[in-house]
Amino acid sequence: MEHFTKDFKVGKCEGQKVVDGETMPLVLQPPEPNSSNDVESLVLALKKNKDWFEQMLIKNSAVLLRGFNVQNAEEFNDIIETFGWDDIRYVGPAPRTHVHKRVWTANEGPLSEFIYYHHEMVLIKEYPKKVILFCETPPPEGGETPFVPSFRITERMLKEFPETVEEMDANGLKYTFTAPSKNSTGSMRGRGWEDTFGTSDRAEAEKRANALGMDVEWLPDGAIKTILGPRSLTKVFDGRKERRMWFNTVVGMHGKEHSSALMADGTEIPANVVNRCEQIIEEESIQFKW
């Protein structure tokens, strides 16, 4: 039996799953119902058990902290700083607002739009190894933040489409995405290129895009089309049992209004492969109520 620290009690949540012997997410609560469960106590417990917490996060893919009475962005930032994780500037299409220090809103696009499952900044050279989320006001309905053990997607896709998956992984995929010049909250992908690259100067924006591994094409309406790839389909991370993670954004970008995902030679990815992948991702998703 693995070691658990006395500073946390293991709990449960609705929607939790056991995948390949691992509990996802691992729910950690205060050790006693009457114990101090303020942010200061949580920060001290995390500092004391930092290495152990990192091990639990790697083993279980996700950790859900519950019952600690975190109230706002300032307190949430105190928790973020405790871990000492790298702070990486977000480069992506989601319209977001800076709240406090390392805290930003998640996506300010329309509530009616579905956010496809994705690894954060999956197509960028420098991507975050971890993402931490906080819900200040639980939504009355919907609004979950589900996640997927992406090695299961690779396993199932290899079983159903072995040749296609291996070809895409070996040769890579190409992606394109078009961004307007200014931000718009009318779309979940409404972030403008000026905000994304931190400049309104086209030459400087192009330079910064190139540094991130993108080629660009300027459009007549002032928008920018970014071209990325080829990018591998899967990725193996240290400490994750040599599992091949489904490290791409095929479903989220294939055949969409402002984006595309193509084979390395520019030909179309078979639609039945993309559609089945979307189904498998939904089947493997883990969803819990905030």
Side-chain angles (χ1 to χ4, degrees), residues 11-239:
K12 294 182 178 181
C13 71
E14 184 179 350
Q16 196 175 43
K17 291 183 180 180
V18 176
V19 182
D20 197 21
E22 301 169 7
T23 303
M24 300 182 187
L26 173 66
V27 180
L28 297 180
Q29 300 172 330
E32 299 293 339
N34 298 324
S35 64
S36 175
N37 59 357
D38 58 13
V39 174
E40 184 178 353
S41 298
L42 174 57
V43 167
L44 289 173
L46 290 171
K47 286 181 178 179
K48 181 179 176 182
N49 300 281
K50 189 174 180 180
D51 291 342
W52 173 84
F53 187 90
E54 293 270 356
Q55 292 170 13
M56 292 301 100
L57 183 56
I58 291 173
K59 179 184 182 300
N60 297 279
S61 297
V63 173
L64 176 61
L65 294 166
R66 281 214 157 150
F68 292 99
N69 199 30
V70 181
Q71 294 292 315
N72 50 49
E74 290 77 11
E75 294 181 346
F76 179 45
N77 189 78
D78 290 341
I79 295 167
I80 296 172
E81 298 289 358
T82 301
F83 293 113
W85 296 336
D86 292 339
D87 186 11
I88 298 177
R89 175 183 169 81
Y90 173 65
V91 179
R96 296 176 172 179
T97 299
H98 183 237
V99 180
H100 177 72
K101 293 186 177 180
R102 293 179 64 166
V103 181
W104 294 70
T105 56
N107 190 316
E108 296 183 23
L111 298 178
S112 58
E113 290 196 29
F114 179 77
I115 299 176
Y116 292 93
Y117 295 92
H118 59 282
H119 284 277
E120 198 68 18
M121 294 166 55
V122 64
L123 301 180
I124 308 302
K125 288 182 177 180
E126 185 182 23
Y127 49 82
K129 301 291 179 23
K130 304 176 185 72
V131 175
I132 180 167
L133 302 165
F134 163 60
C135 180
E136 184 172 5
T137 305
E141 62 178 345
E144 289 86 357
T145 307
F147 67 98
V148 178
S150 65
F151 66 89
R152 288 286 299 137
I153 313 306
T154 307
E155 291 172 355
R156 292 184 60 180
M157 288 294 289
L158 277 169
K159 192 171 292 186
E160 295 192 29
F161 306 99
E163 293 183 1
T164 302
V165 169
E166 292 295 10
E167 178 187 354
M168 290 193 294
D169 203 25
N171 298 330
L173 298 177
K174 287 187 176 180
Y175 301 87
T176 68
F177 182 78
T178 301
S181 60
K182 304 295 184 182
N183 289 348
S184 169
T185 56
S187 167
M188 68 172 184
R189 294 177 169 181
R191 191 183 188 199
W193 62 261
E194 293 183 18
D195 186 23
T196 299
F197 299 119
T199 180
S200 60
D201 181 82
R202 288 192 176 195
E204 183 61 26
E206 189 165 339
K207 179 180 177 182
R208 295 179 185 183
N210 294 159
L212 292 167
M214 306 177 187
D215 291 323
V216 304
E217 176 184 329
W218 294 101
L219 304 181
D221 62 357
I224 189 174
K225 180 179 181 180
T226 58
I227 303 101
L228 306 95
R231 296 284 193 275
S232 298
L233 192 71
T234 68
K235 188 173 182 64
V236 177
F237 290 90
D238 292 339

Side-chain angles (χ1 to χ4, degrees), residues 237-249:
F237 290 90
D238 292 339
R240 301 308 307 275
K241 302 180 180 178
E242 296 301 311
R243 291 165 169 162
R244 293 169 68 181
M245 302 297 174
W246 191 252
F247 200 69
N248 61 75
T249 184

